[in-house]
Amino acid sequence: HLAIWCSQRDVGHLAKDCIDGPSSLKFDVFFAVSNNKWRIWDIEHARRVVGFQPQDNAEDWRQRFEAQGGGAPVKAGILP
């Protein structure tokens, strides 16, 4: 599940990027996923269209996930 993890910070940035995006953009679909080493979704479209630049990586949180017994990524993804 670390491949599809998205931090609250990154999903917030994507939402803000969409709001601040080009006025010509009326509808689109973007994958909200952090800059994970094993990411399975391509986020190049979001980078190109709205300038999405994820800041976090699930690998940085791996120890916290494992310490929780592999618990829900959202619990470990809360940033200080």
Side-chain angles (χ1 to χ4, degrees):
H1 60 273
L2 295 178
I4 60 173
W5 180 78
C6 187
S7 70
Q8 290 178 349
R9 176 170 57 174
D10 285 341
V11 77
H13 283 169
L14 180 56
K16 184 178 182 324
D17 291 343
C18 289
I19 291 167
D20 295 341
S23 59
S24 60
L25 181 65
K26 302 299 179 198
F27 174 84
D28 213 326
V29 176
F30 305 110
F31 289 112
V33 64
S34 291
N35 193 30
N36 304 324
K37 179 179 180 178
W38 305 107
R39 184 178 60 231
I40 59 174
W41 290 325
D42 184 4
I43 60 171
E44 185 57 36
H45 181 65
R47 289 180 202 262
R48 186 172 26 84
V49 175
V50 296
F52 178 50
Q53 293 295 324
Q55 302 298 305
D56 298 313
N57 183 331
E59 293 298 317
D60 297 336
W61 300 98
R62 180 180 290 278
Q63 290 178 356
R64 291 177 74 181
F65 292 156
E66 291 172 353
Q68 291 178 5
V74 173
K75 288 181 185 175
I78 297 173
L79 297 172

